Amino acid sequence: MKAAVWYGEKDIRIEERELKALKDNEVSVRVAWAGICGSDLHEYQEGPVFVPTEKEDQLTGQVAPLIMGHEFAGIIEKVGSQVTKFKVGDRVAINPTLTYGNKPEDIDQYDGFSFIGLHGDGGFTTFANAPESNVYLLPETLSLQEGALVEPTAVAVQAIKEGGLRFGDTAAIFGAGPIGLVTVIAAKAAGASKIIVLDLSETRLEKAKELGATHIVNSGKENPVEAIRAIVPEGVDVSFEVAGVAPTFTQAIESTKARGTMVIVSIFARPIEWNPIQLTNTGVKITSSIAYTPTSFQQTVDLMGTGQLNPQSIVTSQIQLDDIVDKGFEALTKDKTQVKILVELSGEK
Ligand SMILES: [Zn+2]
């Protein structure tokens, strides 16, 4: 089967790959649509970040080169002998997070995690295998394209929960990339009264407004902290750092109210220099989130199914697998009007 395979920085190749043997507890999914994630882009631009290159990943047993793609949905083609919850033909989304499962779900990922599509073969291909416990049935109301958006949306749902955002709270979101934008959608669904979004790109800010931001601030033109304080003088209840660079990290803290919460959602590819006295002086609490719990993933499916979360409009283009480098990774690198690019595999609805 044809697949997009990560070999190294700036080296993703379309080539023929064999599907791994199906394990008893796994299902094989005929991939319909798969999204390109910010973390895929990191792997392309400056990887390896997560991809194992030296020794086999503990959870997947794989090492690069491997098939990328962890945001995908499709139709079950085959089920392993021990699979009980699914049957051939079921429409499903994949939760790509693999854990050891030895701890309660809210701390399980901190015991170590791997991603289907980053640490092992993923969804930029015809078929992908996943353990039954990582598979979620899609309601009739959701298309398979929307199914491919469950994963990034679940990241935002988890971040909102982590921030303890409550009805009526104010929020600032630093970064209007794909995850920043789904965070806007999730903050709105969670009842945030003011949602201030900051970015350098005018088009992304316009998108944020379309999706529910009440205020947008171009950080290249205005001082972000002053702009936020002009809207919410005491600072926001919760801020979300979704840009992953030093300036936004300190600005997010500085624009949060005393004893408010700053949530690190982004993956910092590089260390930053920062003085913790900023917390001493402001009383802001910092927390972080990575991925989502199985419960949050299911809730995301449910909330998307009812229309309470509707991320469909973050999709800016649909491309073919053969074009994944030029029209996918390169487009995301060069063109800030691109947000979420979906790769059409079987293209089923
Ligand atoms: Zn992702």
Side-chain angles (χ1 to χ4, degrees):
M1 58 188 189
K2 200 158 64 170
V5 180
W6 187 94
Y7 275 83
E9 188 185 329
K10 291 280 163 76
D11 188 6
I12 290 175
R13 304 179 199 170
I14 303 294
E15 60 181 28
E16 277 298 315
R17 292 273 292 205
E18 292 279 305
L19 179 65
K20 286 185 293 180
L22 187 68
K23 294 185 186 143
D24 292 344
N25 69 333
E26 288 182 337
V27 304
S28 189
V29 175
R30 184 168 73 242
V31 184
W33 296 90
I36 303 179
C37 175
S39 48
D40 299 332
L41 193 59
H42 270 309
E43 299 292 352
Y44 176 72
Q45 292 172 334
E46 54 190 335
V49 180
F50 289 118
V51 175
T53 51
E54 262 139 50
K55 60 177 196 324
E56 287 165 1
D57 180 79
Q58 290 233 339
L59 283 158
T60 67
Q62 282 190 267
V63 63
L66 47 83
I67 304 172
M68 296 204 82
H70 61 268
E71 304 177 355
F72 61 100
I75 296 176
I76 293 185
E77 175 86 6
K78 239 187 237 173
V79 296
S81 61
Q82 283 168 20
V83 170
T84 57
K85 289 190 299 186
F86 297 98
K87 58 181 191 312
V88 172
D90 282 346
R91 300 162 67 256
V92 296
I94 307 304
N95 171 347
T97 319
L98 302 169
T99 61
Y100 294 95
N102 295 327
K103 299 275 165 71
E105 69 159 26
D106 59 324
I107 55 167
D108 196 25
Q109 67 267 45
Y110 303 112
D111 200 27
F113 64 85
S114 296
F115 279 94
I116 294 171
L118 284 172
H119 301 86
D121 283 345
F124 289 145
T125 185
T126 313
F127 299 105
N129 296 344
E132 175 179 35
S133 54
N134 287 70
V135 176
Y136 292 70
L137 200 61
L138 289 173
E140 281 302 314
T141 49
L142 285 186
S143 67
L144 288 170
Q145 252 196 36
E146 289 170 300
L149 300 174
V150 171
E151 198 272 349
T153 309
V155 171
V157 166
Q158 193 67 48
I160 295 291
K161 287 187 182 183
E162 185 62 42
L165 187 109
R166 287 194 257 174
F167 207 78
D169 275 358
T170 54
I173 298 167
F174 287 81
I179 295 295
L181 292 173
V182 282
T183 306
V184 174
I185 294 167
K188 193 177 174 67
S193 60
K194 290 193 174 78
I195 302 169
I196 308 163
V197 179
L198 305 97
D199 201 281
L200 294 166
S201 155
E202 242 3 277
T203 37
R204 287 191 162 183
L205 287 170
E206 284 308 319
K207 195 81 182 173
K209 197 139 201 200
E210 199 184 298
L211 296 172
T214 57
H215 301 77
I216 50 176
V217 176
N218 188 320
S219 331
K221 295 182 182 155
E222 280 180 83
N223 177 310
V225 178
E226 281 170 18
I228 291 170
R229 295 273 176 177
I231 301 160
V232 189
E234 68 281 12
V236 295
D237 295 297
V238 190
S239 61
F240 298 89
E241 208 295 323
V242 205
V245 290
T248 48
F249 182 87
T250 53
Q251 288 159 5
I253 298 168
E254 225 180 308
S255 50
T256 304
K257 73 174 189 189
R259 309 316 279 164
T261 304
M262 191 275 251
V263 188
I264 303 168
V265 189
S266 48
I267 305 290
F268 280 73
R270 312 228 173 287
I272 59 165
E273 196 174 285
W274 170 69
N275 189 337
I277 199 158
Q278 194 188 8
L279 296 188
T280 315
N281 289 338
T282 60
V284 171
K285 293 177 271 187
I286 296 188
T287 184
S288 64
S289 70
I290 175 77
Y292 28 72
T293 61
T295 299
S296 295
F297 200 92
Q298 181 64 56
Q299 289 168 341
T300 305
V301 171
D302 295 342
L303 288 163
M304 284 177 65
T306 58
Q308 282 160 285
L309 287 173
N310 184 7
Q312 183 67 30
S313 50
I314 68 166
V315 176
T316 46
S317 73
Q318 300 166 3
I319 62 170
Q320 301 299 313
L321 185 64
D322 282 324
D323 300 326
I324 199 167
V325 174
D326 284 351
K327 293 186 181 166
F329 292 103
E330 282 297 323
L332 286 167
T333 304
K334 292 175 194 149
D335 178 4
K336 288 294 161 202
T337 64
Q338 289 295 343
V339 180
K340 179 59 72 188
I341 296 178
L342 291 185
V343 181
E344 180 175 357
L345 281 312
S346 78
E348 287 160 287
K349 299 272 154 69

